[in-house]
Amino acid sequence: MCGRYSFVPTKTQLDTDLAGIDKPPQLQIRFNIAPTQLSYVIANDRPHQLQPMAWGLIPNWSRAGELSGKMINARAEGIADKPSFREPIRRRRCLVPADSFYEWRTEGKNHKVPYRILRTDGHLLMMAGIWDEWSDGRRRLRTFSIITTTPNEEVSALHDRMPVLLEPEEQKRWLEALPLEEVLPLLHRPADHCLRLYRVSEKLNHAGYEGAELHEEVPEQPLLF
């Protein structure tokens, strides 16, 4: 799955991976983006703009419009048939830019050890997403979900799911008005060896914590026998 990520782009990443994308004057940098929080996406209704949406999809037909964070991820398998996702995958797709995402390894019964995962080539991750807009006539909520697939070699050591990562040539197509049969093949497992990972501070386990030290590598602890 993908339950936490960061958006701390370098100048080079902004100039290359987000070239031609309108950015807010005060770009919000986040080391620890958690479900229900606002984050940037590039959606197909405004494909040249970074816009904020809340993480955790609310279908437009929802009665309550409650931002519970239950649908932060959408499995690629069967996405076209799920009631909450079948309309967005056809009409409302987005890219979710990140410099890294996090995953946890379980030690013992309850000890969660976090790892930061990022591209080996230095580019931003562009995660495939879907979005929707809910309104009751008084308020409007725009929300998104990150699509997941089976893991590549690097991530499989930590989890059995990971975000769909779109390559540069796939990103433009993802935002185009393509028929479903051309969209679904883009939701494939990322290539092996395109990512690297390292252990980070367990401060990440607290969803409200923000700090640059979350990107610093923490030495692996020796296993005790």
Side-chain angles (χ1 to χ4, degrees):
M1 63 179 293
C2 179
R4 212 77 66 76
Y5 68 97
S6 63
F7 181 73
V8 189
T10 64
K11 185 180 185 304
T12 298
Q13 289 171 336
L14 289 173
D15 292 344
T16 55
D17 301 319
L18 296 178
I21 301 296
D22 293 333
K23 309 166 190 68
Q26 296 292 329
L27 194 67
Q28 187 176 23
I29 300 303
R30 296 289 312 280
F31 287 89
N32 189 7
I33 300 169
T36 75
Q37 296 177 352
L38 287 176
S39 189
Y40 293 120
V41 304
I42 304 169
N44 61 331
D45 69 330
R46 306 174 198 168
H48 301 294
Q49 179 183 348
L50 273 184
Q51 57 173 302
M53 290 189 188
W55 186 16
L57 190 130
I58 301 173
N60 60 63
W61 43 261
S62 170
R63 288 187 177 182
E66 180 183 358
L67 186 59
S68 64
K70 291 181 179 179
M71 287 192 283
I72 61 170
N73 293 156
R75 293 175 69 96
E77 303 87 345
I79 192 172
D81 302 316
K82 299 292 176 60
S84 297
F85 305 143
R86 60 192 178 197
E87 185 178 353
I89 190 61
R90 289 169 170 85
R91 300 181 181 179
R92 291 184 286 278
R93 297 186 292 274
C94 64
L95 300 170
V96 184
D99 64 278
S100 64
F101 69 96
Y102 302 104
E103 196 51 80
W104 281 259
R105 176 172 55 82
T106 302
E107 288 184 351
K109 290 185 178 180
N110 300 308
H111 189 200
K112 300 285 189 179
V113 179
Y115 286 79
R116 183 183 181 219
I117 304 166
L118 59 163
R119 290 186 65 115
T120 57
D121 60 12
H123 286 286
L124 287 176
L125 302 165
M126 288 292 186
M127 301 183 286
I130 51 176
W131 65 278
D132 212 336
E133 182 175 305
W134 177 91
S135 177
D136 63 359
R138 296 172 299 171
R139 60 191 180 107
R140 184 181 68 164
L141 288 173
R142 290 164 71 88
T143 58
F144 72 94
S145 181
I146 294 171
I147 302 174
T148 66
T149 185
T150 53
N152 68 356
E153 183 177 324
E154 300 92 272
V155 178
S156 64
L158 301 176
H159 206 278
D160 61 358
R161 304 294 296 177
M162 70 174 292
V164 171
L165 305 178
L166 297 175
E167 296 298 324
E169 63 274 11
E170 299 172 321
Q171 294 164 20
K172 182 179 179 182
R173 289 175 54 77
W174 182 249
L175 298 179
E176 292 176 345
L178 297 177
L180 185 64
E181 58 268 23
E182 294 185 37
V183 169
L184 294 181
L186 298 175
L187 301 178
H188 56 79
R189 172 184 179 272
D192 292 334
H193 313 303
C194 69
L195 301 171
R196 63 186 180 93
L197 57 88
Y198 59 82
R199 184 171 178 166
V200 293
S201 170
E202 292 180 26
K203 292 178 180 179
L204 182 75
N205 295 349
H206 303 284
Y209 187 83
E210 278 281 347
E213 68 271 25
L214 294 180
H215 277 186
E216 296 175 4
E217 185 169 2
V218 172
E220 291 284 356
Q221 301 298 312
L223 295 175
L224 300 178
F225 295 95

